Amino acid sequence: MEKGKKQSSNDNVTLLQFVSTMAPLIDMEKEAEISLSMSSGATRSLDSAQKKGSTILNLKCVDAQTGLMGKSLLEFQSNKGDVLPPHKFGTHDVVVLKPNKSDLGSPPLGQGVVYRIKDSSITVAFDDIPEEGLNTPLRLEKVANEVTYRRLKETLIQLSKGVHKGPAADLVPVLFGERPPTVSKKDIKFTLVNSNLDHSQKDAISKALSSKDLFLLHGPPGTGKTTTVVEIILQEVKRGSKILACAASNIAVDNIVERLVPHRVKLVRVGHPARLLPQVLESALDAQVLRGDNSSLANDIRKEMKALNSKLLKAKDRNTKRDIRKELKTLSREERKRQQLAVTDVLKNADVVLTTLTGALSKKLEGFSFDLVIIDEAAQALEIACWIALLKGPRCVLAGDHLQLPPTIQSVEAEKKGLGRTLFERLADLYGDDVTSMLTVQYRMHELIMNWSSEELYHGKIKAHSSVAAHTLYEFEDVKKSSSTEPTLLLVDIAGCDMEEKKDEEDSTLNEGEAAVAIAHARRLVDSGVQPANIGIITPYAAQVVLLKMLRSKEDKLKNMEISTVDGFQGREKEAIIISMVRSNSKKEVGFLSDRRRMNVAVTRARRQCCIICDTETVSGDKFLKRLIEYFEEHGEYLSASEYGNE
Ligand SMILES: Nc1ncnc2c1ncn2[C@@H]1O[C@H](COP(=O)(O)OP(=O)(O)OP(=O)(O)O)[C@@H](O)[C@H]1O
């Protein structure tokens, strides 16, 4: 990050400018999401909805289980084949279940949250098992998650009134450039809980603990950003702070919970149980509430109410009925009070409360304030979503990397007008090194994989830790040294191999020849002994993912190999990554491949081997991609796709 960048008018947005720019953009984004979902008037038929991926038709319920803190898990498979049709459902989406043939606007059998998705089935968590209709053909429809937008709007309204009181009153002027950030002049002394931390991580922790209002932790790929966030939390707990720790995604929040649990921190995870990893359920608010005294009292009251209700049904005398009703009313009030107390007890008692950013606006957290708000993955969150959490405390630590992908925005117009500009990036530009520490040792990639990204995006400042700097695929037991496992960097060129790109019905681009080559390379790796679970194929285009998954379903030995879009793989890693770039056309059009952040994420997912498959003629039309290709040619192996023949 460049030192103390001058504040440009663009960086120094005022609170009022921010509110007035964001309000219409949030509406645009909401509209765009609704039009992607089934509730859209633009969807005229069920078939077109299935093509859009917003509904899955003709399903059967194959399993029903209870147990997820009172929720019911229903698993659905297609009546039409082994694999679900292509769809845009993701875990944690809100969905409704309907009879397959019922009208578009018909009432649902139930509404739930997607719990798990496999190629062949989808599992949804419902509050109750729908009473009827489960034995007939069914369909699932994705619905827009309006709660999120309501919460974003509420936060904007709160900001628009000005923040002169409350826990964040002194932080807001700093984050809008009206007052400079401050640090404690006292020398901060601390003993590390994790004694393995490197010098850049230690330095970041020291700076974070000294900051009085704002600290940015810049964590390039694999540099232990979350490890550092966890240490900051542990140090702050030792100091007696109450902390709100958030991230945009549930998985990132759970990742922190998992790493804190062994340290026996008093923590609570707030969120819908279907959106939490099974291993963190013990820490969930719902689970802790169920274990509390007030909750068992509430339970006793409910039993009493049940008995009174049956008495009421049998009672004949008016006076008796009136008395019972009165008693029921009192009990119901008491039950609600006990329930609320049970929740408040758990939250009060916790040193660390963890939730997603939008979860921070949960009614349960109303009235709570914190000494410190930490946001992980802050460069992947909408600024307005960050504000939901930031309004709850006077100090904040934002961790992220604005040189990886920003949040996904559905509305092209809202994106153009700045909805995707993150708070992390804005503050990094506004205050630079004054408030930032960049982590500089990475623990994932072979040096050759790392160097390209380090030089291109991080001013050459990243170093590979000795434990990974020279690691190779063939060091694994059972992996043979072969022409496919030996190279760290591999470039497979489809130029001149007659493998032009195509468009699918949704206008997403795909490349059949390239997909076949990607699968062929994966097969070669597996034949040399690499575990399929250690291989990932990633590609920028959704249609290419569908095509690759179809090819994979024909090969048993590749069953456990992951296939994903680049965007969907951010934050993850594999020993071997195969990147299918897809674009191959005479106009040298590369579309959104040219976003340096996307290629940065793609390449840096690989630990020991990174294989790029592309049409070098086409992609070299873009200067940034040309340098990437040249780097791979210079430091890696070059093969023509024709060498994979008809494998
Ligand atoms: N000081 C360290 N010594 C040894 N290993 C470390 C150290 N710091 C981090 N690691 C390891 O590096 C890996 C990445 O760490 P972590 O998950 O914290 O990174 P991250 O920066 O959050 O990752 P991402 O690139 O996904 O943002 C983990 O396996 C972690 O154990």
Side-chain angles (χ1 to χ4, degrees):
M1 195 158 316
E2 281 137 70
K3 165 90 187 144
K5 258 194 161 180
K6 285 261 171 323
Q7 293 179 11
S8 72
S9 55
N10 189 23
D11 295 333
N12 202 6
V13 52
T14 66
L15 188 151
L16 284 181
Q17 279 168 343
F18 175 72
V19 171
S20 58
T21 320
M22 284 303 138
L25 302 190
I26 292 172
D27 289 336
M28 274 178 212
E29 181 63 3
K30 180 177 160 190
E31 287 311 311
E33 192 182 324
I34 290 177
S35 80
L36 275 178
S37 74
M38 275 298 292
S39 25
S40 148
T43 304
R44 273 182 292 275
S45 76
L46 286 171
D47 282 338
S48 76
Q50 171 147 291
K51 277 198 188 117
K52 257 175 42 176
S54 59
T55 187
I56 309 177
L57 296 173
N58 213 347
L59 293 167
K60 58 184 173 203
C61 179
V62 292
D63 191 29
Q65 285 185 13
T66 51
L68 188 72
M69 272 166 241
K71 313 272 183 235
S72 302
L73 295 178
L74 266 56
E75 185 178 356
F76 303 94
Q77 286 178 355
S78 172
N79 272 319
K80 283 206 158 164
D82 294 342
V83 181
L84 293 175
H87 60 77
K88 295 202 176 120
F89 286 55
T91 37
H92 309 160
D93 282 349
V94 183
V95 295
V96 289
L97 178 70
K98 291 185 178 177
N100 190 44
K101 288 264 165 72
S102 63
D103 295 338
L104 271 172
S106 63
L109 301 169
Q111 174 166 320
V113 171
V114 177
Y115 179 64
R116 195 183 304 126
I117 297 183
K118 298 189 198 153
D119 287 353
S120 60
S121 74
I122 175 163
T123 305
V124 179
F126 294 90
D127 282 342
D128 300 296
I129 293 190
E131 282 179 8
E132 50 195 305
L134 287 187
N135 294 327
T136 55
L138 299 158
R139 73 170 188 261
L140 284 169
E141 292 176 7
K142 205 169 136 166
V143 292
N145 191 349
E146 302 207 11
V147 179
T148 302
Y149 292 100
R150 208 177 54 232
R151 289 180 174 178
L152 296 180
K153 266 296 182 52
E154 276 172 33
T155 305
L156 262 191
I157 292 170
Q158 216 178 325
L159 276 175
S160 70
K161 291 179 188 156
V163 186
H164 308 296
K165 285 194 300 213
D170 289 333
L171 177 66
V172 172
V174 177
L175 300 197
F176 284 104
E178 291 164 20
R179 199 185 293 157
T182 45
V183 289
S184 165
K185 292 204 175 66
K186 276 192 259 160
D187 200 15
I188 306 279
K189 290 210 165 43
F190 60 95
T191 316
L192 288 173
V193 177
N194 178 353
S195 54
N196 290 330
L197 297 188
D198 63 55
H199 65 282
S200 70
Q201 294 168 330
K202 280 185 221 164
D203 186 54
I205 288 156
S206 166
K207 259 183 139 173
L209 296 177
S210 309
S211 73
K212 285 191 165 175
D213 28 48
L214 163 67
F215 174 69
L216 300 181
L217 175 66
H218 183 195
T223 51
K225 176 173 55 65
T226 310
T227 306
T228 312
V229 163
V230 166
E231 182 73 26
I232 296 173
I233 295 177
L234 294 173
Q235 293 296 337
E236 287 285 348
V237 169
K238 275 211 242 171
R239 279 173 155 191
S241 304
K242 191 174 179 80
I243 301 152
L244 177 64
C246 299
S249 71
N250 279 286
I251 188 89
V253 179
D254 287 351
N255 203 350
I256 305 176
V257 176
E258 265 196 288
R259 298 199 202 186
L260 283 176
V261 166
H263 296 282
R264 303 187 172 279
V265 178
K266 280 195 267 170
L267 62 85
V268 56
R269 167 70 161 101
V270 178
H272 189 294
R275 294 193 167 110
L276 312 192
L277 288 177
Q279 56 269 37
V280 309
L281 280 176
E282 277 286 296
S283 309
L285 176 63
D286 296 33
Q288 296 189 45
V289 164
L290 285 174
R291 292 198 289 268
D293 288 346
N294 273 309
S295 182
S296 61
L297 276 172
N299 236 343
D300 291 346
I301 298 171
R302 270 196 299 277
K303 274 188 208 145
E304 214 176 309
M305 286 168 70
K306 207 169 164 194
L308 275 177
N309 266 318
S310 21
K311 225 166 151 190
L312 182 67
L313 280 178
K314 287 182 203 138
K316 304 239 156 48
D317 171 55
R318 276 183 70 180
N319 285 345
T320 320
K321 279 187 174 177
R322 196 193 54 215
D323 290 347
I324 295 177
R325 279 201 196 101
K326 212 167 141 195
E327 201 175 337
L328 270 172
K329 226 174 174 176
T330 318
L331 282 176
S332 150
R333 221 177 291 137
E334 181 65 15
E335 194 256 355
R336 211 171 314 133
K337 196 171 118 202
R338 291 285 164 194
Q339 282 277 27
Q340 275 163 3
L341 274 177
V343 170
T344 314
D345 280 353
V346 174
L347 291 170
K348 260 195 185 150
N349 195 29
D351 289 332
V352 191
V353 176
L354 300 108
T355 178
T356 54
L357 290 165
T358 44
L361 210 68
S362 148
K363 279 234 156 1
K364 291 168 184 157
L365 288 173
E366 227 168 68
F368 278 92
S369 61
F370 299 83
D371 300 304
L372 174 68
V373 177
I374 297 194
I375 304 180
D376 198 2
E377 279 189 352
Q380 279 171 267
L382 296 181
E383 167 159 357
I384 184 61
C386 292
W387 278 107
I388 299 178
L390 291 172
L391 288 175
K392 292 185 179 291
R395 275 177 72 211
C396 68
V397 169
L398 306 185
D401 179 12
H402 51 301
L403 301 171
Q404 296 182 57
L405 285 164
T408 312
I409 311 250
Q410 307 291 353
S411 158
V412 179
E413 199 183 344
E415 180 162 30
K416 266 194 210 141
K417 292 187 169 161
L419 185 63
R421 174 150 165 84
T422 64
L423 177 64
F424 188 94
E425 191 180 5
R426 183 165 76 70
L427 293 172
D429 286 348
L430 187 59
Y431 293 123
D433 285 355
D434 296 347
V435 297
T436 310
S437 272
M438 183 168 96
L439 303 178
T440 53
V441 183
Q442 68 83 21
Y443 300 86
R444 173 182 297 151
M445 294 159 263
H446 186 292
E447 203 159 45
L448 281 177
I449 302 173
M450 174 205 76
N451 277 340
W452 166 76
S453 159
S454 176
E455 291 299 332
E456 239 348 292
L457 292 119
Y458 304 99
H459 305 292
K461 287 188 181 155
I462 319 286
K463 300 277 166 282
H465 188 258
S466 56
S467 58
V468 299
H471 63 181
T472 59
L473 278 179
Y474 56 85
E475 275 166 13
F476 280 120
E477 222 183 307
D478 302 332
V479 176
K480 287 195 295 251
K481 191 169 178 176
S482 68
S483 58
S484 47
T485 59
E486 205 174 351
T488 299
L489 304 176
L490 189 62
L491 179 67
V492 184
D493 194 355
I494 64 160
C497 296
D498 223 3
M499 295 179 179
E500 287 259 307
E501 69 186 48
K502 284 207 292 209
K503 293 262 183 220
D504 77 347
E505 290 169 3
E506 289 286 300
D507 235 24
S508 177
T509 318
L510 57 115
N511 189 320
E512 286 166 348
E514 207 178 275
V517 175
I519 294 285
H521 182 62
R523 202 186 297 121
R524 284 187 183 184
L525 291 178
V526 172
D527 289 343
S528 292
V530 180
Q531 291 293 328
N534 284 338
I535 308 171
I537 306 185
I538 54 178
T539 171
Y541 293 93
Q544 187 77 346
V545 170
V546 173
L547 173 62
L548 283 160
K549 283 187 175 170
M550 229 161 64
L551 295 177
R552 180 189 57 188
S553 70
K554 292 182 190 146
E555 308 212 19
D556 235 20
K557 63 179 169 192
L558 297 181
K559 209 168 77 192
N560 293 326
M561 174 182 72
E562 276 193 66
I563 295 170
S564 165
T565 55
V566 175
D567 300 43
F569 214 70
Q570 179 145 300
R572 310 269 321 277
E573 61 177 29
K574 287 281 174 188
E575 302 297 341
I577 283 285
I578 303 167
I579 303 170
S580 166
M581 293 234 229
V582 174
R583 302 312 299 260
S584 174
N585 55 68
S586 51
K587 290 190 196 145
K588 301 194 175 184
E589 276 174 4
V590 295
F592 68 177
L593 284 186
S594 63
D595 186 331
R596 348 183 267 155
R597 298 169 298 184
R598 186 163 282 105
M599 265 352 266
N600 186 30
V601 170
V603 171
T604 58
R605 299 308 94 201
R607 287 174 54 81
R608 296 165 195 253
Q609 181 179 83
C610 183
C611 167
I612 292 182
I613 308 173
C614 68
D615 180 336
T616 54
E617 279 289 308
T618 302
V619 303
S620 293
D622 177 90
K623 280 196 189 121
F624 164 75
L625 294 175
K626 185 164 187 272
R627 289 199 300 277
L628 172 66
I629 298 305
E630 284 167 357
Y631 179 86
F632 267 64
E633 278 173 351
E634 190 181 336
H635 299 280
E637 292 283 318
Y638 174 94
L639 287 178
S640 163
S642 60
E643 293 176 60
Y644 285 84
N646 285 329
E647 279 177 36

